[in-house]
Amino acid sequence: MARHGFSCGIMAVALVLSLVYSSLVVPSSAELQKLEHSIKDDGSLSLLVVGDWGRKGAYNQTHVAAQMGKIGKELNIDFVVSTGDNFYENGLTGITDEAFEDSFTNIYTAESLQKQWYSVLGNHDYRGDVLAQLSPVLQGVDSRWLCLRSFVLNAEIVDFFFVDTTPFVDHYWIDTEGHHYDWRGVTPRQTYISSLLKDLDSALEASRAAWKVVVGHHTITSVSIHGDTKELHASLLPVLKAHGVDLYVNGHDHCLEHISSNDSPIQYLTSGGGSKSWRGVFNPSSDKLRFFYDGQGFMSLQLTKTAADVVFYDAFGSVLHRWRVTKELHSSI
């Protein structure tokens, strides 16, 4: 869309969507919003996962986007998941920020990527105008865009639980290192976190899907520079274990990883290689490391009722790692 189209699009939809926009700033005790996405006629679902990408095409973002387009076509994907840090370095300045177009609309142009994008916020997004990314005004500019703090996406055979992980991390509140964080809608912090965990616990308990996938920005466990997030270990991980979550998918570390939990079925999948990577850090994990790539790339996930296939790709579209898990379905009667 041209620059003038971008601005006109915003003006055209701003008034119509203003009431919806206001509804995004809801009390922290509100239930998780529930969305639905259909699966294919054969009962399968395919998607791509990319994180830490929004750099106006720099740091191989355009190369990753091009390969996502090719793989997306091969897999006939249903949608894309973004694991956060959508716009660097400091989120969006507002709903008219041209970074939205420069880092998203004009980068992910392949026909196969013209599907719904479901996104969470990352810590860099919180450094800007958070409400801009959450605003449906941007959906009026590019209908693919959908970003909420936390929500549930039901796709029949799978429930995706998107979790806003940034408020959990202490140092964003205590030692901001000179950065400003937009905490509107999040304070008081402990009330927000407690309500989110309660709502997530209830949503997971109510889920009857064959697969449960939780998506957040921050790592729970990682062998790269950010390592484990102790706050998520203490508060979020027990909820995931209690409800038999299959996959925890995240970004934050600018790499690709697959780690298996030693004490639960959870698989930790990091897809944070959407642009700037190559940190040169490796710190062994106490859990089982199955795959680690310190570079750019993305991930695909294909699901049926009884099988999940995970594939990691680099910026050239080469397959780096494949993994499959199957499960038997048990009658509830």
Side-chain angles (χ1 to χ4, degrees):
M1 185 179 291
R3 295 284 188 213
H4 71 276
F6 180 80
S7 300
C8 291
I10 290 177
M11 296 299 294
V13 299
L15 181 61
V16 176
L17 295 174
S18 60
L19 292 176
V20 183
Y21 179 42
S22 300
S23 71
L24 288 172
V25 190
V26 296
S28 58
S29 59
E31 286 187 5
L32 298 183
Q33 185 172 343
K34 296 178 176 61
L35 308 175
E36 293 187 355
H37 198 112
S38 59
I39 59 177
K40 295 182 176 68
D41 291 340
D42 65 0
S44 68
L45 184 78
S46 301
L47 60 133
L48 300 182
V49 182
V50 65
D52 305 80
W53 43 265
R55 295 184 184 273
K56 301 180 180 179
Y59 295 98
N60 285 340
Q61 185 191 0
T62 52
H63 293 292
V64 174
Q67 296 305 322
M68 287 175 62
K70 293 178 181 178
I71 301 302
K73 182 178 181 180
E74 289 178 14
L75 301 182
N76 187 22
I77 61 168
D78 298 284
F79 56 84
V80 179
V81 167
S82 170
T83 58
D85 278 0
N86 307 312
F87 302 98
Y88 283 95
E89 287 286 329
N90 300 306
L92 296 177
T93 60
I95 58 174
T96 60
D97 191 340
E98 293 177 352
F100 178 77
E101 183 180 21
D102 292 339
S103 290
F104 179 61
T105 301
N106 291 342
I107 302 297
Y108 302 101
T109 57
E111 182 179 357
S112 68
L113 303 182
Q114 307 308 304
K115 305 290 178 67
Q116 189 70 62
W117 284 55
Y118 297 102
S119 307
V120 291
L121 296 167
N123 51 295
H124 282 268
D125 300 311
Y126 263 99
R127 293 180 186 178
D129 182 347
V130 163
L131 300 188
Q133 282 199 55
L134 301 177
S135 172
V137 169
L138 293 185
Q139 296 171 34
V141 177
D142 191 323
S143 61
R144 296 177 293 171
W145 183 254
L146 194 155
C147 183
L148 301 173
R149 293 188 196 273
S150 300
F151 59 102
V152 180
L153 174 64
N154 172 257
E156 297 183 44
I157 59 174
V158 54
D159 278 334
F160 293 88
F161 304 85
F162 291 76
V163 179
D164 183 21
T165 58
T166 301
F168 285 80
V169 181
D170 291 339
H171 76 81
Y172 300 139
W173 299 82
I174 299 169
D175 181 12
T176 63
E177 300 177 336
H179 299 294
H180 166 76
Y181 289 88
D182 183 0
W183 296 126
R184 287 176 295 170
V186 172
T187 55
R189 179 192 180 195
Q190 290 307 319
T191 300
Y192 178 83
I193 292 174
S194 296
S195 296
L196 173 53
L197 290 172
K198 179 181 178 181
D199 293 341
L200 177 63
D201 181 76
S202 297
L204 284 166
E205 177 67 28
S207 175
R208 296 296 178 265
W211 300 94
K212 297 179 183 180
V213 179
V214 175
V215 179
H217 175 65
H218 290 79
T219 58
I220 288 182
T221 186
S222 170
V223 300
S224 192
I225 191 168
H226 290 300
D228 295 1
T229 304
K230 66 181 188 302
E231 296 89 346
L232 298 186
H233 266 272
S235 56
L236 180 61
L237 184 55
V239 178
L240 309 192
K241 288 182 175 180
H243 295 289
V245 167
D246 299 287
L247 309 176
Y248 177 75
V249 182
N250 62 272
H252 196 45
D253 265 336
H254 298 180
C255 62
L256 307 174
E257 296 180 88
H258 176 194
I259 298 174
S260 295
S261 172
N262 284 333
D263 59 2
S264 78
I266 298 176
Q267 306 295 317
Y268 303 104
L269 304 171
T270 297
S271 184
S275 58
K276 188 177 182 180
S277 297
W278 306 109
R279 298 298 184 90
V281 174
F282 176 82
N283 296 307
S285 169
S286 59
D287 289 305
K288 181 179 180 180
L289 178 65
R290 292 180 178 268
F291 165 71
F292 171 62
Y293 177 67
D294 187 21
Q296 291 104 347
F298 59 100
M299 184 188 101
S300 70
L301 175 62
Q302 295 177 276
L303 293 163
T304 66
K305 277 188 176 182
T306 57
D309 289 280
V310 173
V311 183
F312 286 94
Y313 310 84
D314 66 13
F316 303 99
S318 299
V319 173
L320 301 175
H321 174 66
R322 293 182 184 271
W323 180 79
R324 161 174 271 226
V325 63
T326 60
K327 62 168 62 180
E328 295 183 5
L329 297 182
H330 301 284
S331 173
S332 59
I333 299 177

